[in-house]
Amino acid sequence: MATFLYKIGRISFRRRRFVALIWVALLTLAGVGAAGAPAAGNSSFSIPGTEAQKAFDLLEQRFPGTSADGATARVVFKAPSGEKMTDPGNKATVQETVKELADGSEVVRVTDPYQAKAVSKDGTVAYAQVSYKVSGMELEDSSRDALEDSAQDARKAGLTVEIGGDALQTVPHTGTTEIIGIAVAAVVLVITFGSLIAAGLPLLTALIGVGIGVSSITALASALDLGSTTSTLAMMIGLAVGIDYALFIVSRYRAELAEGRDREEAAGRAVGTAGSAVVFAGLTVVIALVGLSVVNIPMLTKMGVAAAGTVAIAVLIALTMVPALLGYASRKVKPAGEKGKLLGRAKKQEDQDKPVKPNLGTRWASFVVRRPVAVLLLGVVGLGAAAVPAGSLELGLPDDGSQPTSTTQRRAYDLLSEGFGPGFNGPLMVVVDAKDSDDPKAAFTAVGDEIKGLEDVVTVTPPAPNKAGDTATITVIPDSKPSSVATEDLVHSIRGKGAGIKADSDANVLVTGQTAMNIDVSGKLNDALIPYLVLVVGLAFLLLIVVFRSILVPLKAALGFLLSVMAALGAVVAVFQWGWLAGLMGVEQTGPVMSMMPIFMVGVVFGLAMDYEVFLVIRMREAYVHGEKAGQAVVTGFRHGARVVTAAAVIMMAVFAGFIGSSESMVKMIGFGLAIAVFFDAFVVRMAIVPAVLALLGRKAWWLPKWLDRALPNVDVEGEGLRSASGDQDKELVRA
């Protein structure tokens, strides 16, 4: 592989105009496609095969024209202080608003609060529910505008009016902190390279890669039903890995220049060696992201595949666009150790004659090799302490209650809780299928009576049968908020009662609604976590055996990842569930951790953890196979790789932390979780635990059974083929 990538690097350097033109053309093509594509909405959390989805499908069959999966909006009214919603003037305003809303072309029906008894007991709050023919993602802007205009007219009459539901879906924004994250990455690159040109190359190539990836996702969003968060997460991961991959190749290029090679040869060798590590690191990330498809949640699969595509683009750009731009930069990119005018100065002769002082990475690695047990214990205990809150992990999915208080959806949620109780924001829809029952009406009544006897139930509406009389819906209002454990227990209790009703009356009882759907999604994610771990970690383990030609090094890498991801989950629980530092992170509402967070973190963090493992340990492997002792190889690996890995980790943390400013709670949580996970994995696991374990194992770390050694393909990540092929050239350089 090293020889093949070496040729790609040299060709890209030599044919830089052609390579640059191809990537610019792809960026332009993707941009044009994105500009002409309709905006993405928010994907639903539906899962084929779950009870909630089966109930939705049944409603479509038995209640045709009701649009069970159509968008809904709750227009919530609150009377001025000292007045009630039943006062004649306020009542007239509400009824006029209902009339306006009913005129919408996509509206199926609008409930009158006074006929539907949707007025609170104290008379201060009322609501009208608007049902649409299409989902919130398909709703036209004119329908949203009409909804907001009607609310504004009621406000002018003196009422407080807020709108909840999924009809007012908005594309999340990330805020200025994302720009700050990129700015931090730029500063770190300038400090690392000491040159604006060298620092700008990774940023430029990463932005081109992300531009192509995100534009492609935007162009395909409507056709493939990609949610708005898909492009945001692809941008988050694409920026981070794009900058890192380019950083490693530029760093290796400067190191090759420092050894006296000409620029084209240095570019080829940089892509042949560091590029090999980039390919395998990228493969681990792609495996982890594509592996999300085993969960069998369409939205999560699309997010993973889209992000994996962006990572693949980042790898290709690092292997081709980076050497091409290095060709354009020419002498403006200095050899390693030679700083540019921005941060450095020419060394005096007396300074050059002095012995070179070991860098910080060398000194740290030497310390770890001398004290491996102490460092190992300190790292493991520290991560274990950080992971303690993960034992209290509660999972759920966000609703309007997790929105910022500045949004009308959140204010509507709070008004409904104030007027009708917290459970009113998460009603359960019980569907009774009595097609095979001898007495459907009796079955409907029996179901309602059974539910009334359960705990945590406030209201049970009378059964509402369809025209055929074989299916009915019953609305259940819980006493607890939608994301609470008590509401989840209530859903399971109703489903438990269904077994007895089936035996007595041959009627099937299904529980659905957004709250029940969220509970089913959470259960699906929990059930899939272990199989996903086995699949992804197993495939990556096999891949790392090929890369490192060792059993213990990949095993150590996987165990270290488990430590870092558990510690990161503990930090997420502490901030988003317990509320520690919630104000600093902009978390306005604490509650259960998003259900997809653990499995998504496992996938992404595993891929990123293997990035640092490959980039750092491959240098140790390279030194070991070229004759150094095991302990010295650890120090050599840190001397060449610690500074670059540190810079890469800081950049990745800055990029992820930039998304903490997002208005979308899911993006905010993932941004924080990935940033803290990179910190734990890069600086505790890879920089402390890994060298300590390798120092303790010594030569055993690189042990591989002979039969397996013969069976494995030789991918030559260390670039041994390049050394052999150009040995004569190196000797000429030494004599010169």
Side-chain angles (χ1 to χ4, degrees):
M1 175 178 284
T3 305
F4 173 71
L5 294 178
Y6 166 79
K7 294 177 181 178
I8 289 179
R10 293 198 62 160
I11 292 173
S12 299
F13 186 94
R14 191 182 312 121
R15 306 293 184 187
R16 46 189 172 271
R17 292 181 182 177
F18 179 69
V19 172
L21 181 62
I22 289 177
W23 285 112
V24 171
L26 289 174
L27 178 61
T28 304
L29 183 63
V32 170
N42 289 330
S43 294
S44 64
F45 285 102
S46 62
I47 313 177
T50 60
E51 180 171 320
Q53 189 63 48
K54 289 178 182 176
F56 268 122
D57 296 340
L58 184 65
L59 287 173
E60 289 287 350
Q61 296 173 11
R62 306 287 175 84
F63 292 81
T66 57
S67 301
D69 59 347
T72 59
R74 279 181 171 177
V75 183
V76 187
F77 307 88
K78 184 175 183 181
S81 179
E83 299 182 17
K84 292 189 176 183
M85 291 305 303
T86 51
D87 294 345
N90 295 335
K91 186 174 182 179
T93 300
V94 172
Q95 290 177 330
E96 180 63 27
T97 303
V98 169
K99 185 178 179 182
E100 290 180 14
L101 291 170
D103 292 336
S105 60
E106 294 183 307
V107 174
V108 175
R109 63 182 177 277
V110 182
T111 60
D112 186 318
Y114 304 100
Q115 295 179 4
K117 298 181 181 179
V119 181
S120 62
K121 290 182 180 180
D122 62 4
T124 60
V125 179
Y127 74 92
Q129 181 148 323
V130 187
S131 300
Y132 293 89
K133 299 176 183 177
V134 296
S135 65
M137 196 168 54
E138 301 168 322
L139 203 63
E140 293 182 359
D141 290 339
S142 59
S143 296
R144 294 191 181 92
D145 293 340
L147 183 61
E148 293 175 330
D149 291 343
S150 299
Q152 188 59 35
D153 292 341
R155 292 188 186 105
K156 292 178 181 178
L159 298 177
T160 298
V161 186
E162 304 296 346
I163 305 171
D166 60 354
L168 289 184
Q169 294 176 333
T170 57
V171 177
H173 63 272
T174 55
T176 57
T177 50
E178 177 192 351
I179 300 174
I180 294 174
I182 296 176
V184 171
V187 171
V188 173
L189 287 169
V190 170
I191 294 173
T192 302
F193 293 133
S195 165
L196 286 175
I197 299 296
L201 287 179
L203 279 177
L204 178 60
T205 54
L207 290 174
I208 291 173
V210 167
I212 294 172
V214 173
S215 296
S216 300
I217 291 170
T218 304
L220 299 172
S222 179
L224 300 180
D225 187 24
L226 303 177
S228 56
T229 53
T230 302
S231 59
T232 305
L233 295 172
M235 181 191 301
M236 181 192 302
I237 297 170
L239 267 178
V241 300
I243 294 174
D244 278 8
Y245 294 166
L247 167 64
F248 284 107
I249 290 180
V250 173
S251 299
R252 189 60 182 251
Y253 171 77
R254 296 175 73 234
E256 296 293 339
L257 288 179
E259 293 185 9
R261 309 192 198 285
D262 66 71
R263 294 186 178 275
E264 183 178 329
E265 178 69 14
R269 284 176 170 269
V271 176
T273 52
S276 298
V278 166
V279 169
F280 281 101
L283 273 175
T284 59
V285 180
V286 169
I287 287 172
L289 291 172
V290 174
L292 291 171
S293 59
V294 304
V295 184
N296 197 27
I297 296 179
M299 187 201 71
L300 196 59
T301 299
K302 293 170 185 176
M303 287 170 58
V305 172
T310 307
V311 172
I313 292 171
V315 171
L316 292 174
I317 282 186
L319 299 178
T320 57
M321 186 72 167
V322 170
L325 292 181
L326 289 172
Y328 279 114
S330 186
R331 297 184 181 278
K332 294 178 181 178
V333 177
K334 306 293 183 181
E338 182 181 336
K339 294 186 177 180
K341 296 179 180 180
L342 183 65
L343 295 178
R345 59 181 178 83
K347 291 184 179 181
K348 297 180 180 179
Q349 183 63 42
E350 56 269 24
D351 294 333
Q352 295 178 0
D353 294 336
K354 292 180 181 179
V356 179
K357 183 180 179 181
N359 60 22
L360 181 60
T362 303
R363 297 196 299 272
W364 168 251
S366 299
F367 170 77
V368 174
V369 170
R370 292 195 305 269
R371 301 285 189 272
V373 176
V375 172
L376 178 61
L377 288 177
L378 185 61
V380 171
V381 171
L383 290 179
V388 168
S392 302
L393 177 67
E394 295 178 8
L395 298 176
L397 284 173
D399 53 23
D400 285 347
S402 62
Q403 296 271 3
T405 53
S406 58
T407 62
T408 186
Q409 293 96 325
R410 172 60 186 277
R411 292 195 293 264
Y413 182 97
D414 292 340
L415 283 178
L416 288 172
S417 296
E418 174 188 331
F420 300 93
F424 201 79
N425 284 292
L428 305 176
M429 180 179 288
V430 178
V431 182
V432 185
D433 178 8
K435 190 174 183 178
D436 297 329
S437 177
D438 296 332
D439 189 352
K441 290 185 178 180
F444 300 155
T445 303
V447 172
D449 292 341
E450 287 282 358
I451 296 173
K452 289 177 184 178
L454 297 175
E455 295 182 4
D456 204 53
V457 173
V458 173
T459 304
V460 179
T461 64
N466 62 348
K467 290 183 180 180
D470 59 4
T471 308
T473 60
I474 300 172
T475 301
V476 180
I477 306 298
D479 188 40
S480 305
K481 63 181 182 179
S483 59
S484 67
V485 176
T487 300
E488 183 177 349
D489 291 340
L490 175 60
V491 171
H492 294 315
S493 297
I494 296 173
R495 288 172 173 172
K497 292 290 185 180
I501 294 170
K502 173 69 174 176
D504 295 338
S505 61
D506 290 327
N508 290 318
V509 178
L510 304 172
V511 184
T512 188
Q514 191 60 47
T515 300
M517 182 66 77
N518 290 349
I519 291 170
D520 286 350
V521 171
S522 300
K524 186 79 171 179
L525 288 165
N526 290 340
D527 293 342
L529 183 57
I530 298 301
Y532 174 72
L533 264 175
V534 172
L535 174 68
V536 173
V537 176
L539 287 176
F541 180 77
L542 295 176
L543 182 65
L544 291 179
I545 289 178
V546 175
V547 174
F548 295 125
R549 308 194 77 78
S550 164
I551 298 292
L552 296 179
V553 170
L555 180 62
K556 172 263 308 169
L559 294 177
F561 150 73
L562 292 176
L563 279 174
S564 59
V565 79
M566 288 303 297
L569 276 176
V572 169
V573 170
V575 173
F576 291 88
Q577 187 175 312
W578 292 0
W580 293 5
L581 302 177
L584 181 63
M585 297 296 167
V587 180
E588 299 185 12
Q589 180 69 36
T590 60
V593 172
M594 187 173 45
S595 298
M596 67 174 60
M597 190 66 190
I599 200 163
F600 191 82
M601 275 190 65
V602 164
V604 177
V605 174
F606 182 78
L608 300 180
M610 295 307 102
D611 276 4
Y612 299 121
E613 181 74 14
V614 170
F615 289 129
L616 191 60
V617 179
I618 204 67
R619 278 288 198 167
M620 302 177 190
R621 166 76 182 172
E622 189 176 338
Y624 179 77
V625 298
H626 292 138
E628 292 189 9
K629 293 183 178 180
Q632 184 58 40
V634 172
V635 177
T636 300
F638 266 77
R639 182 171 68 249
H640 291 296
R643 178 182 176 133
V644 180
V645 169
T646 299
V650 172
I651 289 169
M652 197 170 280
M653 288 168 56
V655 172
F656 287 148
F659 288 84
I660 296 175
S662 173
S663 62
E664 181 72 32
S665 59
M666 181 173 78
V667 176
K668 181 190 293 287
M669 188 179 295
I670 289 177
F672 171 80
L674 294 183
I676 197 70
V678 168
F679 171 78
F680 287 143
D681 195 84
F683 294 106
V684 181
V685 175
R686 309 303 153 188
M687 292 288 185
I689 294 178
V690 165
V693 171
L694 290 177
L696 288 172
L697 291 175
R699 295 181 59 184
K700 296 177 183 177
W702 308 106
W703 171 79
L704 186 70
K706 292 182 179 180
W707 64 268
L708 184 56
D709 188 28
R710 291 191 297 268
L712 291 177
N714 183 14
V715 294
D716 189 23
V717 179
E718 301 86 8
E720 184 64 30
L722 298 181
R723 291 175 179 267
S724 301
S726 58
D728 294 338
Q729 181 182 351
D730 291 345
K731 293 176 182 177
E732 290 295 329
L733 287 171
V734 171
R735 285 198 292 268

